[in-house]
Each structure stands twice: as structure tokens, then as C-alpha cells.
């Protein structure tokens, strides 16, 4: 009987938010704070990349062969205006649908691989698209963006140094996902083999940043990500 | 007319393992050419190569004149080796 009575009294309790006048009542049941959703995905709006692609503005064509890993350029990459096209391709990093995702990723890969000295002056225009891509908090998008950031730093001289002033924009999401490793006990985490583990990729990227970012890189990384330990000083 | 000027191969070999020659053949055949000889004969242009590895960097596609850009590292994976053809003149 006592148990039943207690259950009845639970039902009569008044659910309310904390720190309100209601919560001071005797029969108040204070609810836990709502979920912030720091790790939940935030889908991006339709990108400019998608709009331009659908309009046929990009000088690229998809090759429908068995490989499926190449795009054909209608114009030589060396003759392209990097100030116009590279930020647009980076804008496509937020995309998760085919063929936009593939074109954006492969287009950036080709432009970085063959850009040389033309990449450095465009860096300031790439920061917002990179930040938007990381802010989607979609694991797939983050993985691709991290790999592209590594390629960007290694694609030409002085790019690592040029990125240092923009750490404040890029690194907060790194800090959020740095320890994003799942505890599987003795299970096998296949994302490690496939190089898709966000925690590992973030560490890898930060090490590339530190190695190529000059003497101020480490202190700037440490400022944004206090748990980061240097790969050069130790 | 251009085809007539291209030297015709006498035989072809299917490679069993990867080598720089196989990598080159893979890249030219992806763009629609037999090999470097045919590319030079048809386009009358030099083949740009990566300075570090010596692999082909860029080719103009045979069918439509679009450009293919290749990586500086190996692209021909093990499963593609047997699909390449090395022509002998």
C-alpha cells in the first residue's frame, strides 16, 4: 500500500524548469536541463556550389567509367581563376549528396595538387567555407574537410603559416571532437583502418599544422585546444 | 590522316606486376591513347611529368579534348594492373 501511495504522490508532482518560481513549490519536480546538442548535426543550407553546378558554371565533367574517381576538366586548371573557383569548390564541402560531394572533393584535390603558388593568395577566402563545413558537425563532412586541410597545408610553401591567424575560426570544432573516440572495449574500430576516425584525424591534422605553421603555430594551437601536446617539443 | 602517321604496334604484353612503365601505360590508356608515342603523334605536344616521381601529370583526352590531371603518387592499383596493355613496336 505504501508503495502505491508513493507512486500516486509522484504523479501529483508538478514538472517545471529549474530556477523558476514554480520550482520553489513543495510538489515541484524540477526537470533536468534540456540537451544542448553540441555534437548533433546541423545540416547546412543549399550551397552556392550546388547552385553553380546545376547551372553548369563549372568547367568539369564526370567520367562514367568503372573507376569513378576522376573528373575531366574542360579547361586547363592552370588557366582557371583560383580566386573565383577555389572558394566555390570549398563551399561544396558541406554537401553530402552525390554528385555534389564527389565533384567538390575531387575538384579541390585537383586544384590543390596543381595550384602551386596560386593557392596562397586565396587562403583568406577559404576560411568561411571551411568553418561552415566543420560546423555541420557531420562526421563524414568533418573527415573529408580534415583530409583536405592536410592537403592544403602541404600543397605549397607558406600555407601553413598563412593559416595561423585563422586558427580561431577553424580550431573550436577540432577541440570539440578531439576526443571523439568510441570505447569498444576489445572490439575492432574499423574507422581506424579506413582512416575515418575523427579523433585520430584531428590529431594528425594538428600535427601537420604545427610542423608547417612556423614558430607561432604551437602556442596558437595550444590557446584554442588546451589538451593538445606538441609533436615537436617533446 | 593523323592516324596513318602513328606507328602501329606489333604485339602487346599484359603486365603481371606494377612498375613505372605500367603506371604510364595506365595513365595514357585512361585518357584513350595507346601510349606516349600515340599521344605525341596526335597532339604534337610534350607530356608534362611530375618532377619528383616522373609520372604523367596531365593529358588531353582523345575523344573530346578535355583534360585529365593525375596525382604525383601511384594511381594504378593492383586490381587495375592486368587491364593495362604494354605495346611493343
Amino acid at each position: 500500500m505504501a508503495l502505491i501511495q508513493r507512486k500516486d504522490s509522484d504523479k501529483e508532482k508538478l514538472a517545471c524548469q529549474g530556477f523558476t518560481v514554480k520550482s520553489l513549490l513543495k510538489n515541484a519536480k524540477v526537470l533536468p536541463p534540456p540537451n544542448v546538442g553540441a555534437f548533433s548535426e546541423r545540416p547546412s543550407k543549399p550551397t552556392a556550389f550546388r547552385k553553380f553546378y546545376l547551372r553548369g558554371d563549372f568547367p568539369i565533367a564526370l567520367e562514367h567509367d568503372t573507376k569513378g574517381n576522376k573528373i575531366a576538366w574542360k579547361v586547363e586548371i592552370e588557366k582557371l581563376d583560383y580566386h573565383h573557383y577555389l572558394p566555390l569548390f570549398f563551399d561544396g564541402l558541406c554537401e553530402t549528396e552525390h554528385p555534389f560531394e564527389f565533384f567538390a572533393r575531387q575538384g579541390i584535390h585537383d586544384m590543390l595538387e596543381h595550384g602551386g603558388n596560386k593557392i596562397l593568395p586565396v587562403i583568406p577566402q577559404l576560411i568561411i567555407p571551411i568553418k561552415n563545413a566543420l560546423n555541420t558537425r557531420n562526421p563524414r563532412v568533418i573527415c573529408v574537410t580534415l583530409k583536405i586541410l592536410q592537403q592544403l597545408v602541404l600543397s605549397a610553401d607558406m600555407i601553413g603559416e598563412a593559416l595561423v591567424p585563422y586558427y580561431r575560426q577553424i580550431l573550436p570544432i577540432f577541440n570539440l571532437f578531439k576526443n571523439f573516440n568510441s570505447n569498444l572495449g576489445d572490439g575492432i574500430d574499423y574507422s581506424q583502418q579506413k582512416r575515418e576516425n575523427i579523433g585520430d584525424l584531428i590529431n594528425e591534422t594538428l600535427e601537420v599544422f604545427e610542423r608547417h605553421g612556423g614558430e607561432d603555430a604551437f602556442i596558437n594551437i595550444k590557446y584554442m585546444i588546451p589538451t593538445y601536446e606538441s609533436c615537436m617539443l617533446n | 590522316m593523323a592516324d596513318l602517321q602513328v606507328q602501329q604496334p606489333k604485339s602487346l604484353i599484359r603486365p603481371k606486376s606494377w612498375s613505372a612503365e605500367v603506371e604510364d601505360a595506365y595513365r595514357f590508356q585512361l585518357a584513350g591513347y595507346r601510349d606516349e608515342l600515340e599521344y605525341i603523334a596526335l597532339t604534337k605536344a610534350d607530356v608534362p611529368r611530375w618532377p619528383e616521381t616522373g609520372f604523367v601529370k596531365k593529358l588531353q583526352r582523345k575523344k573530346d579534348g578535355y583534360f585529365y590531371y593525375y596525382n604525383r603518387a601511384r594511381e594504378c592499383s593492383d586490381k587495375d594492373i592486368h587491364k593495362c596493355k604494354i605495346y611493343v613496336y
Side-chain angles (χ1 to χ4, degrees):
Chain A
M1 277 303 286
L3 267 175
I4 294 163
Q5 274 174 359
R6 217 176 276 160
K7 271 183 186 170
D8 286 344
S9 64
D10 275 352
K11 271 181 193 171
E12 285 162 18
K13 283 200 168 178
L14 182 70
C16 61
Q17 298 285 338
F19 305 107
T20 54
V21 179
K22 268 188 192 172
S23 69
L24 299 174
L25 294 171
K26 267 186 184 172
N27 61 343
K29 188 188 174 197
V30 180
L31 294 170
N35 206 341
V36 179
F39 294 102
S40 57
E41 285 182 30
R42 297 176 187 182
S44 66
K45 293 169 195 156
T47 60
F49 175 83
R50 180 183 287 233
K51 187 176 130 194
F52 276 65
Y53 176 74
L54 293 173
R55 215 163 60 183
D57 281 0
F58 290 116
I60 49 178
L62 176 60
E63 188 46 43
H64 291 286
D65 63 357
T66 50
K67 315 272 185 315
N69 59 355
K70 240 178 184 30
I71 50 179
W73 292 83
K74 295 177 185 172
V75 182
E76 287 169 272
I77 294 183
E78 297 85 9
K79 289 180 185 165
L80 283 180
D81 177 11
Y82 267 58
H83 279 282
H84 176 67
Y85 284 111
L86 199 55
L88 270 179
F89 275 105
F90 268 83
D91 193 49
L93 279 176
C94 299
E95 292 288 350
T96 49
E97 284 171 36
H98 186 78
F100 312 107
E101 179 200 14
F102 169 76
F103 272 127
R105 213 177 46 213
Q106 195 62 34
I108 293 170
H109 174 83
D110 283 359
M111 287 186 84
L112 292 182
E113 187 101 339
H114 299 85
N117 296 332
K118 290 168 88 177
I119 303 167
L120 185 60
V122 195
I123 293 286
Q125 297 173 53
L126 304 181
I127 303 304
I128 290 176
I130 291 172
K131 191 179 138 193
N132 288 341
L134 291 171
N135 267 332
T136 58
R137 292 151 203 240
N138 177 328
R140 246 173 66 200
V141 173
I142 293 180
C143 274
V144 171
T145 311
L146 288 170
K147 286 177 193 169
I148 288 205
L149 275 171
Q150 290 182 23
Q151 199 194 346
L152 176 68
V153 173
L154 300 174
S155 59
D157 291 337
M158 297 303 292
I159 291 184
E161 284 90 337
L163 278 175
V164 175
Y166 301 107
Y167 282 174
R168 198 177 264 267
Q169 270 79 39
I170 303 171
L171 298 190
I173 302 290
F174 281 43
N175 191 25
L176 195 64
F177 284 92
K178 188 167 172 282
N179 297 318
F180 205 67
N181 285 319
S182 35
N183 185 359
L184 303 180
D186 62 351
I188 298 172
D189 187 359
Y190 287 99
S191 69
Q192 291 178 356
Q193 291 176 17
K194 290 188 277 184
R195 207 163 159 253
E196 282 170 3
N197 189 294
I198 294 187
D200 291 351
L201 269 174
I202 286 177
N203 262 326
E204 232 175 77
T205 313
L206 288 174
E207 287 183 8
V208 175
F209 279 180
E210 191 191 343
R211 281 183 206 283
H212 297 86
E215 54 185 16
D216 296 334
F218 173 65
I219 194 142
N220 280 289
I221 295 173
K222 189 80 176 167
Y223 178 70
M224 294 306 297
I225 306 173
T227 54
Y228 177 69
E229 293 295 338
S230 174
C231 62
M232 291 166 81
L233 299 175
N234 298 327
Chain B
M1 276 302 285
D3 280 334
L4 295 175
Q5 293 163 9
V6 182
Q7 209 180 345
Q8 293 302 311
K10 292 203 173 71
S11 64
L12 75 85
I13 301 165
R14 293 275 187 185
K16 299 277 182 228
S17 60
W18 184 88
S19 66
E21 196 188 4
V22 175
E23 182 69 38
D24 265 10
Y26 171 78
R27 292 178 186 215
F28 279 108
Q29 281 153 29
L30 203 62
Y33 300 93
R34 248 192 331 251
D35 51 21
E36 191 171 354
L37 279 176
E38 193 191 20
Y39 183 79
I40 294 172
L42 291 179
T43 59
K44 308 267 185 297
D46 283 341
V47 179
R49 289 178 180 275
W50 285 106
E52 302 93 343
T53 51
F55 297 149
V56 178
K57 191 176 181 182
K58 176 181 99 177
L59 290 177
Q60 198 164 7
R61 224 157 58 161
K62 194 176 180 180
K63 61 177 176 186
D64 48 19
Y66 292 173
F67 295 91
Y68 264 157
Y69 284 82
Y70 299 97
N71 298 339
R72 71 190 77 198
R74 174 181 167 177
E75 276 195 26
C76 175
S77 54
D78 283 341
K79 66 179 168 59
D80 296 320
I81 290 173
H82 73 281
K83 291 176 198 161
C84 298
K85 298 166 188 167
I86 294 176
Y87 291 91
V88 182
Y89 292 92

